[in-house]
Amino acid sequence: MRVHVVSDVHGNSRDLARAGDGADALVCLGDLILFLDYADHSRGIFPELFGVESADRIVELRTARRFAEAREFSAKLWSGVDRAAATEAAVRKQYAELFAAFPSPTYATYGNVDMPPLWPEYAGEGTTVLDGETADIGGLRFGFVGGGLRTPMRTPYEIDDETYAAKVEALGEVDVLCSHIPPDVPELCYDTVARRFERGSEALLSAVRSVRPRFHLFGHVHQPLVRRMRIGPTECVNVGHFNATGTPWVLEW
């Protein structure tokens, strides 16, 4: 059995269309949407609406962790614009391309920048969306937990710690634990390029220690200090920043 795993697709529909080649199934751990590419400020919804110079400025402020100033700057740009309508229209355009690129079968969960209410409109028959749910893939029990935790970035699908922990607990015993964000381990949460810690989940770390799955697969941290770490018998793996690499991580058994 061969499964390909991707995360942090961020608009890369071209490589996504080939991500399942040679695999029995594709697993996607979220962040399909590209609001702003920190490596190329000309790409994404934000520069399409407000231009590259504005994107340069917002990246500068966020990278410096000047989040209050970033929100103030962003608010001025959005003034007079129907933010909800403009964002939804742009997201719908990206989702149409991305979901069409999914092979069959695909098992997917949400990232912190995704908009879950729109997914049922675009997920075809070959795509199974799971969040706080499990699926049997090739005889192994895969558990999926979508979204991220609350941060100053205020991305679209951030939830409180208690709600997130309840989704983790609902999975029960799994062979492969799949989530968008990593467990709360500093080496797995630190982004070496952004030079900051992303939020990891204590509930995921607790599940890894108590359930002891074979693998815990995740993404979210684009340039992690450590990509792979063993916790007890569990291999914890950041499957990579698919937007940049265009290459899925491979799991075979």
Side-chain angles (χ1 to χ4, degrees):
M1 186 72 181
R2 180 183 176 101
V3 170
H4 290 179
V5 189
V6 300
S7 185
D8 300 272
V9 176
H10 293 302
N12 189 352
S13 58
R14 180 191 62 187
D15 291 322
L16 186 63
R18 300 190 294 266
D21 290 355
D24 296 293
L26 178 72
V27 167
C28 179
L29 304 181
D31 271 11
L32 298 182
I33 291 302
L34 180 63
F35 279 98
L36 177 58
D37 190 329
Y38 278 60
D40 181 353
H41 302 170
S42 68
R43 297 182 64 237
I45 294 172
F46 191 91
E48 287 177 7
L49 292 172
F50 303 115
V52 177
E53 289 186 5
S54 293
D56 290 341
R57 179 58 175 162
I58 204 77
V59 169
E60 177 187 1
L61 292 172
R62 287 179 176 177
T63 302
R65 304 186 66 80
R66 293 156 60 184
F67 296 116
E69 291 179 65
R71 285 194 294 272
E72 182 180 353
F73 178 72
S74 180
K76 290 180 180 178
L77 293 175
W78 284 104
S79 178
V81 178
D82 187 335
R83 182 169 187 163
T87 300
E88 182 172 322
V91 168
R92 284 183 177 278
K93 180 181 178 182
Q94 290 191 18
Y95 275 163
E97 295 177 359
L98 291 159
F99 277 92
F102 276 143
S104 181
T106 291
Y107 300 86
T109 196
Y110 317 115
N112 62 294
V113 302
D114 284 310
M115 298 177 68
L118 298 182
W119 280 38
E121 297 183 40
Y122 297 95
E125 291 184 4
T127 299
T128 303
V129 179
L130 304 111
D131 187 16
E133 300 164 288
T134 63
D136 183 286
I137 305 176
L140 295 185
R141 184 179 173 92
F142 282 65
F144 293 81
V145 185
L149 297 172
R150 305 278 190 207
T151 72
M153 300 288 282
R154 299 182 182 180
T155 50
Y157 191 47
E158 295 181 353
I159 58 180
D160 61 78
D161 290 47
E162 294 75 17
T163 301
Y164 193 91
K167 293 197 295 184
V168 176
E169 186 176 2
L171 300 178
E173 298 289 326
V174 295
D175 299 299
V176 183
L177 176 58
C178 299
S179 60
H180 178 66
I181 63 174
D184 188 21
V185 177
E187 295 90 337
L188 298 175
C189 294
Y190 187 73
D191 190 307
T192 60
V193 175
R195 292 184 295 178
R196 65 168 181 260
F197 289 97
E198 302 289 353
R199 280 208 68 187
S201 166
E202 294 180 6
L204 288 172
L205 180 58
S206 178
V208 166
R209 288 171 170 164
S210 60
V211 177
R212 299 161 68 87
R214 298 188 192 183
F215 290 92
H216 178 200
L217 309 179
F218 52 88
H220 187 56
V221 184
H222 293 179
Q223 297 89 199
L225 180 64
V226 174
R227 294 190 176 275
R228 193 164 185 151
M229 173 185 292
R230 183 171 289 276
I231 300 176
T234 303
E235 194 73 20
C236 300
V237 182
N238 184 318
V239 300
H241 181 203
F242 187 78
N243 174 55
T245 68
T247 303
W249 187 79
V250 178
L251 176 62
E252 291 186 287
W253 67 96

